Amino acid sequence: MLVRLTYVSRAVGVVTQPIMDGILQTSRRNNPSNGITGVLCTNNYIFLQLLEGGRKEVSETYNRIARDPRHNDVQLLHMEEVSERKFSGWSMGKVLFDRVNLAILLKYSSKAVLDPYSVPGSSSIALLDELMATASVASSGNL
């Protein structure tokens, strides 16, 4: 059974490029063997991530992230059973936040900032869908 899980967390400290590169490298190395695909959006302070895969594997990955000392205020935004993946070709795509049109953020929030804490989970999922559709997601690390 496939599930899609979306969560948000706050970074403990600023996420520098070397830290982000390490997170993505680890995800892209481990996710294929666990059948996990997805996308990560961060502004170096807030992580918004969508994970897809088997229920057990996605739950274990989410629980590992929730225990990671680099994250705090981890909140589950949405989890659902799905018949197919949205990100089947990506072990972990990354939103190129510097390329995001701020009008897209404003479409889903009261301010043109990434703040999944203040909007419904469905709005965060719609935001990620639109970012994918507008080619704001880097697909390096494809399966």
Side-chain angles (χ1 to χ4, degrees):
M1 168 171 306
L2 288 176
V3 299
R4 182 173 299 125
L5 180 149
T6 307
Y7 78 90
V8 63
S9 68
R10 295 186 195 283
V12 174
V14 175
V15 179
T16 63
Q17 191 59 49
I19 291 171
M20 180 52 59
D21 290 345
I23 290 169
L24 289 170
Q25 183 179 42
T26 300
S27 294
R28 290 172 177 161
R29 181 183 62 242
N30 295 336
N31 287 352
S33 63
N34 291 315
I36 302 287
T37 56
V39 64
L40 172 65
C41 180
T42 183
N43 62 2
N44 296 331
Y45 301 98
I46 293 177
F47 291 98
L48 171 63
Q49 188 168 33
L50 184 148
L51 301 170
E52 301 172 313
R55 182 183 315 185
K56 179 179 186 259
E57 292 80 8
V58 167
S59 294
E60 288 172 350
T61 300
Y62 172 73
N63 289 328
R64 187 172 48 256
I65 291 166
R67 290 188 308 268
D68 188 322
R70 296 174 291 188
H71 297 266
N72 65 27
D73 200 12
V74 179
Q75 294 182 24
L76 179 65
L77 298 176
H78 187 78
M79 185 170 180
E80 65 181 330
E81 296 174 351
V82 296
S83 58
E84 62 184 41
R85 297 172 191 248
K86 290 183 180 187
F87 301 96
S88 61
W90 299 352
S91 57
M92 188 51 60
K94 180 189 182 296
V95 172
L96 303 172
F97 204 78
D98 57 335
R99 295 186 190 173
V100 171
N101 181 336
L102 295 181
I104 294 173
L105 294 173
L106 192 56
K107 181 176 178 179
Y108 297 100
S109 183
S110 62
K111 297 179 183 175
V113 296
L114 179 65
D115 186 11
Y117 291 99
S118 66
V119 300
S122 58
S123 294
S124 293
I125 294 167
L127 171 64
L128 290 172
D129 286 344
E130 189 158 344
L131 292 172
M132 184 176 76
T134 59
S136 297
V137 179
S139 60
S140 63
N142 286 4
L143 295 173

